[in-house]
Amino acid sequence: LQTRDPDTGKLIFTTEKVDPTRVGVIVVDVWNYHWCKTAAMRIDAIVPRMNEALDGARALGMTVMLCPSDVVDSYVGYPQREKVLALPQFPVPVVTQVNCPPPPNAGGCACGHERCLPNYGWDAMHPALRIADNDLIPNTREEVYAICKKYGLTLLIYMGFHTQICLLGKSMGLKAMKSAGFRCLLAR
């Protein structure tokens, strides 16, 4: 694990043992399209590495959740989505208030002076992102919470892009689930 000392900024590295059956890996908004050319290239480049990490997580017995939020309707009828919809729902508690410093706003574009024009054309997850038979496709905080209750998950590892929006701002994102009492980590 990597953390940063809040006073000095020094990086702190630690190793920790976990029970993989109590770990959920949540992949947020790895879409098939992004209007920013730089973001699209980064996603294309990282998806093969994400697949390797997710295959390793699955092999260890971790629960993999693919959360495509805005385009979840593209997965109606998929067994991975239907399993989630069949779960009993529970009220999601607010165990702690989570405050994060506001992220720098780059406007969603990383192309520098040559800014891309927003054009929201995504309609599915990235075609190279593997969906395994035992994966789950939740869309909301309540659905992720139901999965965590069913499988006894206590630690959530997040993967995705545009951290300030997809991981911190979405209902199933890191900030929301940490406030519900889960230990949450961001995969680098």
Side-chain angles (χ1 to χ4, degrees):
L1 302 174
Q2 176 182 306
T3 57
R4 190 176 295 275
D5 182 291
D7 296 325
T8 65
K10 179 182 175 194
L11 290 177
I12 302 166
F13 298 94
T14 57
T15 300
E16 180 178 319
K17 285 189 176 208
V18 296
D19 176 356
T21 63
R22 302 195 38 98
V23 177
V25 180
I26 300 179
V27 181
V28 180
D29 292 350
V30 180
W31 293 317
N32 61 348
Y33 169 80
H34 196 281
W35 52 267
C36 171
K37 294 177 283 190
T38 301
M41 289 186 295
R42 286 178 42 226
I43 292 168
D44 287 344
I46 197 91
V47 165
R49 293 175 64 194
M50 290 178 91
N51 281 332
E52 287 182 44
L54 293 171
D55 287 346
R58 292 175 186 114
L60 289 170
M62 295 178 184
T63 301
V64 173
M65 295 173 252
L66 305 171
C67 300
S69 67
D70 298 346
V71 298
V72 73
D73 289 346
S74 296
Y75 300 94
V76 170
Y78 277 60
Q80 297 88 343
R81 178 75 181 131
E82 297 303 315
K83 284 188 266 186
V84 173
L85 295 174
L87 291 174
Q89 297 290 300
F90 304 94
V92 180
V94 176
V95 174
T96 185
Q97 195 63 26
V98 178
N99 296 310
C100 298
N105 182 358
C109 181
C111 291
H113 295 294
E114 180 189 326
R115 306 297 286 177
C116 300
L117 295 175
N119 166 3
Y120 301 96
W122 49 79
D123 59 6
M125 289 186 280
H126 194 285
L129 184 66
R130 283 195 291 273
I131 304 172
D133 291 342
N134 291 326
D135 290 351
L136 299 165
I137 302 178
N139 187 46
T140 65
R141 180 178 193 228
E142 292 76 18
E143 290 173 356
V144 171
Y145 187 74
I147 292 166
C148 291
K149 286 202 53 108
K150 176 171 178 53
Y151 295 100
L153 306 179
T154 56
L155 172 63
L156 301 175
I157 300 172
Y158 280 84
M159 299 172 78
F161 298 93
H162 302 293
T163 307
Q164 75 274 19
I165 304 218
C166 299
L167 298 179
L168 294 178
K170 298 288 177 132
S171 72
M172 81 297 280
L174 186 147
K175 183 177 176 182
M177 298 314 294
K178 185 170 177 67
S179 75
F182 294 94
R183 183 155 179 243
C184 298
L185 302 174
L186 177 62
R188 290 179 57 89

